[in-house]
Amino acid sequence: MSRYLTPSKIGFLALISLYTDSVVPTSATIPVLSFIVSHLLPGKNSLPDTDRAHTVSIGEFQGATIAYASGIPGRTVWDLLLKKLWEVNSFDALHVFFDALSALLVKTRECLQKDAENGVPQNVDRMLLSRTSPFGAFIRRAQLEFTRLQFHDGIALWKSFVVYREPTLPMWRRRNPTAGQTSFDSNLTEDHLGFNNRLSQIMYGDLEDEGRKKAGVSTDDVEKLLEFQVDQMQKKGNRVSDKMKRQFEEMAQTGVTVPSLSHYVKFLDSWKAGDYPSSFDNLHRYFDYTMYNRDRTFYQYALLNLAILQADFGCFTEAIAAMQETISTARENKDMGCLNYSLSWLYHFTKAHPEESDEVQKSGVLGTEKEALTFLKAKAKEANMWSLLSTTLLSEAKLALTNGDSLPVAFEAVTKASHLNVSKNVSNAVGSQMMMQSSIFSRLGVSYLAWSYGELFLQCYAEKSPVEDVLYCTCKNAYSLSREGQYDQALVLMDEVSQDSLRTLKHQQYWMAYSGLLKLQCHLQKGDSAAAEQFLSQLRASPPPNQEISFTVSILEIHLQILKKDYSVAMQLLENYSSKINDEEADIFHRIKLMTLKARIFDKAGVPQKGFSVALRAASLAYKARLLPALWEAVGAVCRVMISLKEFEAAVKLLESIMPQVLECDDCELAAESFSILADAHMGMAGQAKAGTSGRKEQMTKALEYISRSFDEFSKVDDVIGQCEMMAKKATIMHLNGDLILANDCAAKYLDIKKSLKRTC
């Protein structure tokens, strides 16, 4: 098959010829030109996709032209186009058609001088196209490609055109009654040769073949489709759809030459599917072809893809070695784009796998984190790599949050990234930017704004963003719902994730890990330790997709031991995990969380005063880093120590000052614990008051109120253990007040909750 020409392109050439003949009226000019341009010069809104065929059918030509009257009375533009197509009634007429295309173009200065010397008059009756215009460039390339065709390729193009035009024969017969079965070739008609004649069968006997019916695609069409698919896979991170695979198979059946880029598409698809041998093989095949046909300048891209492939399949040592060689080769070839991307990848790799950072630090490629980010920002700005610059700014904001630096610094970096995304139209970085904003507001305790940014991204920017960002944002929103006790809605949100995005192994692993986390947390809240252990073993069976999930799994594992009242094992797990964290590189939120959890274990074990120093240190760090939810949790731990020291009034003042911010966090468990501590403090103050006084009764009334509030919050998250504890406290207070009936009701409700817990377990 030809490299460029197809039957549909011949149709476009005929339609352009009609346009230059000035037979297309003014009212039809814009629709006809729009139809041509949309297929010859596809823009961002008309790129090939799986919902549109890779060729333009003759029916599309009819639909675009039949509604418009032409400059000839009684004829539509479609009638004239049909006549133009059927005038090409032999292989020789096809040559004449392409030779006549030169008359549609403005002649060069040399041709005009030669015509003037020979006395050739100028044709001023028709419109002429500039040779550098889109139509002029298309015509000149079509002529060039037709001239380059080998004879057998020219015959194949002619036969494909005959098959392509065949559905219009009934319409042509209505306008031309003499047309018959052999009208597609004037030689057969003139020599009165029927279609069953032996000569006709030799020439046209294969027109009915299935492969011939599917013809009409060129190597250029395949290359464009493959380039589009590679662009989509690299930008969005998804795999080749089944429908697109069928289109590739249909193209291959037509006999078209498949470009080497198909190996790269297969590599990306195998890589996303988790097929390491196939992806490795296809990567080598593609770059073997590339370096054979071109030169060594593409060597660094082969190494770059190899490094990313090795890292995704857990071969970190090989990935670092390949990436370091990529950097060296890119510097040697002065490929700044590849060099900057490689350095950015290496930085993010060391952040995702800190245990491998020593090897990178030894090479001295990046320096410190801040030095690396400063260098990347400068180089990205020099090379006008706006996507890389936006990513670097967001990394700077993330580094500020991780280290507990000033929040204005993080906000400034995010604002710069947002301005860059809007002004330079960096649409693929909008998701990362909005998720970073959501993270900042979440750490500030403004949960509503954090949720709103996630929803805004999913509603407005999901279609143009990488699938990975959409999946991460969906999982974050589901986790936010689970903190409010809406587990069913969270699981429904997880189930709404597109199945196409889950065809990628990495995305599927992340989705399964997050789904497992939600279910593990749900069963822990319900007090179902057996089911929680089952989900925990499943999560531990495979390595976590990232550090955030690994940390959450470790925290929930400690909570499981607390639920089983095995505090020594819980403390041992916490100490083991803390020893793995480097205080200088670990996220400050993780360090504060571990400190607060340690103080909670001491409190559960009956020695709350042992956790005073660690709780106070956690509160101090959280205050400096403005991690408000972590600060309120640490303050609660400090108040428990104060209650154990009988400093009830101070604990009440401290807790009452933070309760509005605690409720703003939309964290039911945090609110329930805070109300519970507040109730304990008021009961302590009631104990210090004299019996029978109004002060004692007032304190006990407040304690009952806060116990009810705590019970309601525990009920939202189905925390059965917390509900039982609150109901037991309530029954005790009722008994002290002498309300035996209410005390018995509370005791009965307590037993009902206990029974439901046993049935669950």
Side-chain angles (χ1 to χ4, degrees):
M1 195 58 189
S2 70
R3 169 172 172 77
Y4 181 73
L5 289 174
T6 59
S8 60
K9 286 188 172 67
I10 297 176
F12 283 119
L13 290 169
L15 193 55
I16 292 173
S17 177
L18 290 178
Y19 170 68
T20 59
D21 289 338
S22 300
V23 295
V24 178
T26 305
S27 60
T29 299
I30 293 179
V32 169
L33 292 182
S34 299
F35 172 70
I36 299 173
V37 170
S38 66
H39 290 86
L40 297 185
L41 301 172
K44 291 184 178 180
N45 295 328
S46 56
L47 283 169
D49 52 42
T50 56
D51 296 327
R52 194 176 73 184
H54 48 264
T55 58
V56 183
S57 66
I58 194 69
E60 291 182 63
F61 278 99
Q62 180 182 0
T65 57
I66 197 170
Y68 304 104
S70 68
I72 300 176
R75 295 289 187 271
T76 63
V77 178
W78 166 245
D79 293 332
L80 299 183
L81 177 61
L82 197 61
K83 180 182 178 184
K84 181 74 72 174
L85 293 176
W86 278 94
E87 283 177 351
V88 184
N89 54 7
S90 66
F91 188 47
D92 178 68
L94 186 63
H95 281 78
V96 173
F97 174 78
F98 275 95
D99 291 340
L101 293 175
S102 299
L104 307 181
L105 303 175
V106 174
K107 294 184 178 180
T108 61
R109 181 178 300 176
E110 293 78 8
C111 291
L112 290 174
Q113 290 177 352
K114 188 179 293 185
D115 289 346
E117 292 172 359
N118 297 332
V120 178
Q122 299 298 321
N123 185 4
V124 295
D125 296 336
R126 69 184 308 165
M127 181 194 309
L128 296 179
L129 301 172
S130 171
R131 304 180 72 85
T132 57
S133 67
F135 286 177
F138 171 62
I139 289 173
R140 288 192 296 130
R141 182 175 182 187
Q143 283 186 304
L144 179 63
E145 294 290 345
F146 187 76
T147 305
R148 287 178 174 178
L149 282 179
Q150 300 291 329
F151 180 77
H152 64 278
D153 288 331
I155 291 295
L157 176 63
W158 163 245
K159 290 182 178 180
S160 299
F161 177 68
V162 170
V163 175
Y164 181 79
R165 186 183 55 184
E166 183 183 8
T168 64
L169 180 58
M171 290 177 279
W172 175 240
R173 278 180 175 175
R174 287 199 295 268
R175 292 293 183 186
N176 188 6
T178 60
Q181 187 180 7
T182 58
S183 296
F184 60 86
D185 193 333
S186 59
N187 297 302
L188 299 180
T189 305
E190 291 173 2
D191 294 337
H192 304 289
L193 298 176
F195 194 76
N196 294 324
N197 184 274
R198 182 167 178 78
L199 181 61
S200 302
Q201 286 296 314
I202 292 173
M203 185 62 191
Y204 297 110
D206 59 346
L207 289 181
E208 300 299 324
D209 290 350
E210 191 66 23
R212 183 71 60 191
K213 290 181 179 180
K214 292 181 179 179
V217 61
S218 65
T219 305
D220 182 72
D221 295 329
V222 177
E223 284 183 350
K224 286 182 178 178
L225 194 59
L226 289 173
E227 288 172 1
F228 166 76
Q229 193 61 49
V230 169
D231 181 69
Q232 291 296 104
M233 295 175 75
Q234 288 181 334
K235 282 185 177 179
K236 295 193 172 182
N238 50 9
R239 292 180 58 193
V240 181
S241 64
D242 293 334
K243 191 172 183 179
M244 186 65 76
K245 286 182 180 179
R246 287 195 295 270
Q247 288 194 9
F248 286 146
E249 292 173 0
E250 290 176 4
M251 291 177 179
Q253 290 174 4
T254 63
V256 66
T257 303
V258 179
S260 61
L261 192 61
S262 63
H263 296 301
Y264 193 71
V265 173
K266 292 178 181 177
F267 152 68
L268 291 175
D269 191 59
S270 303
W271 170 28
K272 300 297 182 184
D275 187 353
Y276 178 76
S278 298
S279 56
F280 194 80
D281 182 49
N282 283 302
L283 178 64
H284 276 272
R285 284 187 182 182
Y286 171 68
F287 282 104
D288 284 346
Y289 279 111
T290 302
M291 296 185 65
Y292 177 77
N293 295 326
R294 299 182 186 178
D295 53 27
R296 190 177 168 80
T297 56
F298 280 80
Y299 180 55
Q300 65 265 27
Y301 292 101
L303 292 169
L304 176 63
N305 282 275
L306 180 61
I308 298 173
L309 177 66
Q310 299 281 23
D312 264 13
F313 286 98
C315 306
F316 300 135
T317 305
E318 294 84 349
I320 293 174
M323 188 56 71
Q324 289 175 340
E325 189 175 353
T326 302
I327 294 171
S328 300
T329 309
R331 282 175 175 164
E332 180 184 343
N333 294 330
K334 297 181 179 180
D335 189 344
M336 297 307 299
C338 181
L339 177 61
N340 292 338
Y341 181 83
S342 302
L343 291 172
S344 175
W345 184 91
L346 199 59
Y347 169 79
H348 288 94
F349 175 81
T350 56
K351 295 295 292 181
H353 306 282
E355 68 277 2
E356 303 292 335
S357 60
D358 292 340
E359 187 69 25
V360 179
Q361 292 297 331
K362 288 178 183 178
S363 64
V365 176
L366 292 176
T368 63
E369 291 185 5
K370 291 185 177 180
E371 289 174 350
L373 290 175
T374 304
F375 176 80
L376 286 173
K377 282 195 298 182
K379 292 300 179 182
K381 190 177 293 185
E382 287 177 8
N384 292 337
M385 300 176 66
W386 307 122
S387 179
L388 176 60
L389 180 57
S390 177
T391 304
T392 306
L393 288 169
L394 294 176
S395 299
E396 189 176 16
K398 186 175 182 180
L399 180 62
L401 292 179
T402 301
N403 294 340
D405 294 338
S406 173
L407 275 178
V409 173
F411 271 116
E412 180 184 1
V414 173
T415 304
K416 287 180 179 179
S418 177
H419 173 73
L420 190 66
N421 294 340
V422 174
S423 59
K424 303 298 181 181
N425 194 26
V426 189
S427 58
N428 60 340
V430 174
S432 301
Q433 169 220 320
M434 299 194 78
M435 283 194 292
M436 180 58 66
Q437 289 174 305
S438 177
S439 298
I440 293 175
F441 284 115
S442 178
R443 292 196 172 202
L444 283 173
V446 190
S447 299
Y448 178 75
L449 273 179
W451 167 267
S452 298
Y453 271 102
E455 280 295 296
L456 182 63
F457 166 64
L458 292 177
Q459 294 294 331
C460 302
Y461 300 99
E463 291 184 1
K464 295 183 179 180
S465 300
V467 176
E468 188 174 19
D469 287 349
V470 177
L471 178 62
Y472 289 0
C473 187
T474 303
C475 292
K476 291 290 185 184
N477 281 2
Y479 184 73
S480 298
L481 288 173
S482 70
R483 289 171 55 195
E484 299 176 17
Q486 303 180 39
Y487 291 108
D488 294 337
Q489 292 88 332
L491 293 175
V492 168
L493 187 61
M494 294 293 290
D495 291 337
E496 289 176 354
V497 174
S498 171
Q499 293 299 315
D500 288 338
S501 62
L502 297 181
R503 292 175 66 237
T504 301
L505 178 63
K506 187 178 179 181
H507 298 165
Q508 186 184 31
Q509 290 175 338
Y510 189 89
W511 180 85
M512 292 180 66
Y514 239 103
S515 299
L517 280 179
L518 293 175
K519 293 176 181 177
L520 172 58
Q521 187 176 11
C522 178
H523 285 289
L524 282 175
Q525 297 286 5
K526 292 180 178 179
D528 190 352
S529 58
E533 285 183 345
Q534 182 68 24
F535 280 108
L536 182 62
S537 63
Q538 293 177 6
L539 288 169
R540 288 296 190 192
S542 58
N546 57 28
Q547 287 184 312
E548 192 69 31
I549 291 181
S550 175
F551 174 76
T552 308
V553 171
S554 300
I555 293 297
L556 293 180
E557 184 177 8
I558 296 171
H559 277 290
L560 175 60
Q561 299 303 323
I562 294 175
L563 176 65
K564 295 164 66 177
K565 301 186 185 304
D566 199 343
Y567 303 119
S568 58
V569 175
M571 184 62 74
Q572 185 63 41
L573 289 172
L574 188 143
E575 293 292 346
N576 292 340
Y577 191 79
S578 299
S579 63
K580 297 178 184 178
I581 295 180
N582 187 337
D583 286 343
E584 296 180 358
E585 296 181 358
D587 191 337
I588 190 170
F589 174 75
H590 294 175
R591 287 151 48 195
I592 295 171
K593 187 74 175 177
L594 290 174
M595 292 178 189
T596 309
L597 189 57
K598 188 173 185 179
R600 183 177 181 182
I601 294 174
F602 281 127
D603 178 63
K604 291 287 185 180
V607 283
Q609 297 176 20
K610 280 191 174 183
F612 180 69
S613 60
V614 70
L616 205 57
R617 187 183 172 201
S620 175
L621 286 175
Y623 177 74
K624 290 178 181 178
R626 295 298 187 270
L627 291 175
L628 300 189
L631 174 60
W632 312 144
E633 192 173 355
V635 167
V638 172
C639 288
R640 284 199 178 277
V641 177
M642 295 171 68
I643 290 173
S644 69
L645 295 173
K646 298 184 179 181
E647 296 290 340
F648 306 116
E649 187 174 355
V652 168
K653 288 181 179 179
L654 190 55
L655 281 171
E656 286 181 345
S657 66
I658 68 169
M659 282 310 297
Q661 289 85 356
V662 169
L663 296 176
E664 192 176 6
C665 292
D666 288 336
D667 188 339
C668 294
E669 186 177 2
L670 177 60
E673 290 290 343
S674 301
F675 280 126
S676 176
I677 299 170
L678 201 53
D680 291 346
H682 278 290
M683 277 303 296
M685 293 176 67
Q688 291 178 341
K690 292 183 179 180
T693 61
S694 60
R696 184 171 188 174
K697 185 177 292 186
E698 180 184 355
Q699 295 299 329
M700 293 181 72
T701 303
K702 287 184 178 180
L704 280 174
E705 179 186 352
Y706 289 130
I707 287 173
S708 299
R709 296 286 297 275
S710 179
F711 180 84
D712 293 339
E713 295 295 333
F714 278 128
S715 300
K716 289 179 182 178
V717 292
D718 291 334
D719 190 335
V720 180
I721 303 296
Q723 292 179 56
C724 289
E725 184 180 348
M726 294 303 106
M727 199 52 61
K729 290 180 179 180
K730 194 171 185 179
T732 303
I733 295 175
M734 293 297 182
H735 191 272
L736 290 174
N737 285 338
D739 297 331
L740 299 181
I741 297 176
L742 291 177
N744 290 334
D745 291 342
C746 291
K749 194 170 183 180
Y750 170 85
L751 293 175
D752 291 340
I753 296 173
K754 273 285 188 182
K755 289 179 181 178
S756 67
L757 173 61
K758 291 180 179 179
R759 286 197 299 268
T760 305
C761 298

